[in-house]
mmCIF file with all atom_site columns, all heavy atoms in Angstrom:
data_model
loop_
_atom_site.group_PDB
_atom_site.id
_atom_site.type_symbol
_atom_site.label_atom_id
_atom_site.label_alt_id
_atom_site.label_comp_id
_atom_site.label_asym_id
_atom_site.label_entity_id
_atom_site.label_seq_id
_atom_site.pdbx_PDB_ins_code
_atom_site.Cartn_x
_atom_site.Cartn_y
_atom_site.Cartn_z
_atom_site.occupancy
_atom_site.B_iso_or_equiv
_atom_site.pdbx_formal_charge
_atom_site.auth_seq_id
_atom_site.auth_comp_id
_atom_site.auth_asym_id
_atom_site.auth_atom_id
_atom_site.pdbx_PDB_model_num
ATOM 1  N N   . LEU A 1 92  ? 55.821 17.113 158.827 1.00 98.00 ? 92  LEU A N   1
ATOM 2  C CA  . LEU A 1 92  ? 55.042 16.742 160.065 1.00 98.00 ? 92  LEU A CA  1
ATOM 3  C C   . LEU A 1 92  ? 55.717 17.198 161.280 1.00 98.00 ? 92  LEU A C   1
ATOM 4  O O   . LEU A 1 92  ? 56.432 16.583 161.914 1.00 98.00 ? 92  LEU A O   1
ATOM 5  C CB  . LEU A 1 92  ? 54.868 15.248 160.242 1.00 98.00 ? 92  LEU A CB  1
ATOM 6  C CG  . LEU A 1 92  ? 53.954 14.692 161.236 1.00 98.00 ? 92  LEU A CG  1
ATOM 7  C CD1 . LEU A 1 92  ? 52.573 15.368 161.288 1.00 98.00 ? 92  LEU A CD1 1
ATOM 8  C CD2 . LEU A 1 92  ? 53.805 13.144 161.127 1.00 98.00 ? 92  LEU A CD2 1
ATOM 9  N N   . PRO A 1 93  ? 55.476 18.578 161.635 1.00 98.00 ? 93  PRO A N   1
ATOM 10 C CA  . PRO A 1 93  ? 56.168 19.017 162.860 1.00 98.00 ? 93  PRO A CA  1
ATOM 11 C C   . PRO A 1 93  ? 55.499 18.607 164.133 1.00 98.00 ? 93  PRO A C   1
ATOM 12 O O   . PRO A 1 93  ? 54.479 18.139 164.152 1.00 98.00 ? 93  PRO A O   1
ATOM 13 C CB  . PRO A 1 93  ? 55.803 20.614 162.666 1.00 98.00 ? 93  PRO A CB  1
ATOM 14 C CG  . PRO A 1 93  ? 54.531 20.656 161.877 1.00 98.00 ? 93  PRO A CG  1
ATOM 15 C CD  . PRO A 1 93  ? 54.516 19.485 161.002 1.00 98.00 ? 93  PRO A CD  1
ATOM 16 N N   . THR A 1 94  ? 56.334 18.736 165.094 1.00 97.00 ? 94  THR A N   1
ATOM 17 C CA  . THR A 1 94  ? 55.846 18.467 166.511 1.00 97.00 ? 94  THR A CA  1
ATOM 18 C C   . THR A 1 94  ? 54.631 19.358 166.857 1.00 97.00 ? 94  THR A C   1
ATOM 19 O O   . THR A 1 94  ? 54.555 20.575 166.617 1.00 97.00 ? 94  THR A O   1
ATOM 20 C CB  . THR A 1 94  ? 56.846 18.682 167.522 1.00 97.00 ? 94  THR A CB  1
ATOM 21 O OG1 . THR A 1 94  ? 58.058 17.868 167.130 1.00 97.00 ? 94  THR A OG1 1
ATOM 22 C CG2 . THR A 1 94  ? 56.508 18.307 168.852 1.00 97.00 ? 94  THR A CG2 1
ATOM 23 N N   . GLY A 1 95  ? 53.584 18.681 167.424 1.00 97.00 ? 95  GLY A N   1
ATOM 24 C CA  . GLY A 1 95  ? 52.423 19.356 167.777 1.00 97.00 ? 95  GLY A CA  1
ATOM 25 C C   . GLY A 1 95  ? 51.203 19.443 166.816 1.00 97.00 ? 95  GLY A C   1
ATOM 26 O O   . GLY A 1 95  ? 50.261 19.799 166.974 1.00 97.00 ? 95  GLY A O   1
ATOM 27 N N   . LYS A 1 96  ? 51.598 18.800 165.605 1.00 98.00 ? 96  LYS A N   1
ATOM 28 C CA  . LYS A 1 96  ? 50.556 18.666 164.590 1.00 98.00 ? 96  LYS A CA  1
ATOM 29 C C   . LYS A 1 96  ? 50.349 17.230 164.160 1.00 98.00 ? 96  LYS A C   1
ATOM 30 O O   . LYS A 1 96  ? 51.212 16.280 164.488 1.00 98.00 ? 96  LYS A O   1
ATOM 31 C CB  . LYS A 1 96  ? 51.016 19.360 163.404 1.00 98.00 ? 96  LYS A CB  1
ATOM 32 C CG  . LYS A 1 96  ? 50.724 20.946 163.522 1.00 98.00 ? 96  LYS A CG  1
ATOM 33 C CD  . LYS A 1 96  ? 50.374 21.565 162.095 1.00 98.00 ? 96  LYS A CD  1
ATOM 34 C CE  . LYS A 1 96  ? 49.830 22.960 162.098 1.00 98.00 ? 96  LYS A CE  1
ATOM 35 N NZ  . LYS A 1 96  ? 49.171 23.341 160.854 1.00 98.00 ? 96  LYS A NZ  1
ATOM 36 N N   . LYS A 1 97  ? 49.210 16.897 163.607 1.00 98.00 ? 97  LYS A N   1
ATOM 37 C CA  . LYS A 1 97  ? 48.961 15.443 163.140 1.00 98.00 ? 97  LYS A CA  1
ATOM 38 C C   . LYS A 1 97  ? 48.669 15.369 161.672 1.00 98.00 ? 97  LYS A C   1
ATOM 39 O O   . LYS A 1 97  ? 48.122 16.432 161.255 1.00 98.00 ? 97  LYS A O   1
ATOM 40 C CB  . LYS A 1 97  ? 47.603 15.011 163.948 1.00 98.00 ? 97  LYS A CB  1
ATOM 41 C CG  . LYS A 1 97  ? 47.919 14.742 165.493 1.00 98.00 ? 97  LYS A CG  1
ATOM 42 C CD  . LYS A 1 97  ? 46.675 14.228 166.019 1.00 98.00 ? 97  LYS A CD  1
ATOM 43 C CE  . LYS A 1 97  ? 46.762 14.165 167.578 1.00 98.00 ? 97  LYS A CE  1
ATOM 44 N NZ  . LYS A 1 97  ? 45.720 13.710 168.289 1.00 98.00 ? 97  LYS A NZ  1
ATOM 45 N N   . ALA A 1 98  ? 48.983 14.378 161.147 1.00 98.00 ? 98  ALA A N   1
ATOM 46 C CA  . ALA A 1 98  ? 48.739 14.182 159.673 1.00 98.00 ? 98  ALA A CA  1
ATOM 47 C C   . ALA A 1 98  ? 47.739 12.937 159.474 1.00 98.00 ? 98  ALA A C   1
ATOM 48 O O   . ALA A 1 98  ? 47.836 11.997 160.163 1.00 98.00 ? 98  ALA A O   1
ATOM 49 C CB  . ALA A 1 98  ? 50.049 13.849 158.916 1.00 98.00 ? 98  ALA A CB  1
ATOM 50 N N   . GLY A 1 99  ? 46.896 13.080 158.446 1.00 98.00 ? 99  GLY A N   1
ATOM 51 C CA  . GLY A 1 99  ? 45.974 11.980 158.241 1.00 98.00 ? 99  GLY A CA  1
ATOM 52 C C   . GLY A 1 99  ? 46.233 11.251 157.028 1.00 98.00 ? 99  GLY A C   1
ATOM 53 O O   . GLY A 1 99  ? 46.883 11.708 155.974 1.00 98.00 ? 99  GLY A O   1
ATOM 54 N N   . TYR A 1 100 ? 45.963 10.006 157.210 1.00 98.00 ? 100 TYR A N   1
ATOM 55 C CA  . TYR A 1 100 ? 46.250 8.991  156.089 1.00 98.00 ? 100 TYR A CA  1
ATOM 56 C C   . TYR A 1 100 ? 44.997 8.229  155.744 1.00 98.00 ? 100 TYR A C   1
ATOM 57 O O   . TYR A 1 100 ? 44.304 7.783  156.709 1.00 98.00 ? 100 TYR A O   1
ATOM 58 C CB  . TYR A 1 100 ? 47.403 8.058  156.522 1.00 98.00 ? 100 TYR A CB  1
ATOM 59 C CG  . TYR A 1 100 ? 48.759 8.601  156.441 1.00 98.00 ? 100 TYR A CG  1
ATOM 60 C CD1 . TYR A 1 100 ? 49.192 9.589  157.332 1.00 98.00 ? 100 TYR A CD1 1
ATOM 61 C CD2 . TYR A 1 100 ? 49.598 8.303  155.459 1.00 98.00 ? 100 TYR A CD2 1
ATOM 62 C CE1 . TYR A 1 100 ? 50.424 10.128 157.184 1.00 98.00 ? 100 TYR A CE1 1
ATOM 63 C CE2 . TYR A 1 100 ? 50.871 8.746  155.273 1.00 98.00 ? 100 TYR A CE2 1
ATOM 64 C CZ  . TYR A 1 100 ? 51.290 9.716  156.156 1.00 98.00 ? 100 TYR A CZ  1
ATOM 65 O OH  . TYR A 1 100 ? 52.502 10.295 156.177 1.00 98.00 ? 100 TYR A OH  1
ATOM 66 N N   . VAL A 1 101 ? 44.599 8.197  154.423 1.00 98.00 ? 101 VAL A N   1
ATOM 67 C CA  . VAL A 1 101 ? 43.514 7.546  153.933 1.00 98.00 ? 101 VAL A CA  1
ATOM 68 C C   . VAL A 1 101 ? 44.020 6.070  153.548 1.00 98.00 ? 101 VAL A C   1
ATOM 69 O O   . VAL A 1 101 ? 44.825 5.945  152.675 1.00 98.00 ? 101 VAL A O   1
ATOM 70 C CB  . VAL A 1 101 ? 42.788 8.264  152.651 1.00 98.00 ? 101 VAL A CB  1
ATOM 71 C CG1 . VAL A 1 101 ? 41.526 7.363  152.283 1.00 98.00 ? 101 VAL A CG1 1
ATOM 72 C CG2 . VAL A 1 101 ? 42.377 9.587  153.224 1.00 98.00 ? 101 VAL A CG2 1
ATOM 73 N N   . MET A 1 102 ? 43.492 5.133  154.153 1.00 98.00 ? 102 MET A N   1
ATOM 74 C CA  . MET A 1 102 ? 43.845 3.716  153.977 1.00 98.00 ? 102 MET A CA  1
ATOM 75 C C   . MET A 1 102 ? 43.061 2.987  152.902 1.00 98.00 ? 102 MET A C   1
ATOM 76 O O   . MET A 1 102 ? 41.928 2.809  153.024 1.00 98.00 ? 102 MET A O   1
ATOM 77 C CB  . MET A 1 102 ? 43.740 2.905  155.245 1.00 98.00 ? 102 MET A CB  1
ATOM 78 C CG  . MET A 1 102 ? 44.242 3.511  156.579 1.00 98.00 ? 102 MET A CG  1
ATOM 79 S SD  . MET A 1 102 ? 45.992 4.039  156.283 1.00 98.00 ? 102 MET A SD  1
ATOM 80 C CE  . MET A 1 102 ? 46.948 2.557  156.475 1.00 98.00 ? 102 MET A CE  1
ATOM 81 N N   . THR A 1 103 ? 43.762 2.673  151.720 1.00 98.00 ? 103 THR A N   1
ATOM 82 C CA  . THR A 1 103 ? 43.068 2.042  150.536 1.00 98.00 ? 103 THR A CA  1
ATOM 83 C C   . THR A 1 103 ? 43.834 0.873  150.089 1.00 98.00 ? 103 THR A C   1
ATOM 84 O O   . THR A 1 103 ? 43.460 0.318  148.991 1.00 98.00 ? 103 THR A O   1
ATOM 85 C CB  . THR A 1 103 ? 42.884 3.078  149.487 1.00 98.00 ? 103 THR A CB  1
ATOM 86 O OG1 . THR A 1 103 ? 44.173 3.787  149.229 1.00 98.00 ? 103 THR A OG1 1
ATOM 87 C CG2 . THR A 1 103 ? 41.930 4.262  149.882 1.00 98.00 ? 103 THR A CG2 1
ATOM 88 N N   . GLY A 1 104 ? 44.867 0.475  150.736 1.00 98.00 ? 104 GLY A N   1
ATOM 89 C CA  . GLY A 1 104 ? 45.675 -0.764 150.343 1.00 98.00 ? 104 GLY A CA  1
ATOM 90 C C   . GLY A 1 104 ? 46.973 -0.877 151.087 1.00 98.00 ? 104 GLY A C   1
ATOM 91 O O   . GLY A 1 104 ? 47.325 -0.186 151.920 1.00 98.00 ? 104 GLY A O   1
#
Side-chain angles (χ1 to χ4, degrees):
L92 182 51
T94 302
K96 283 211 165 192
K97 296 181 180 181
Y100 282 72
V101 182
M102 312 306 286
T103 52

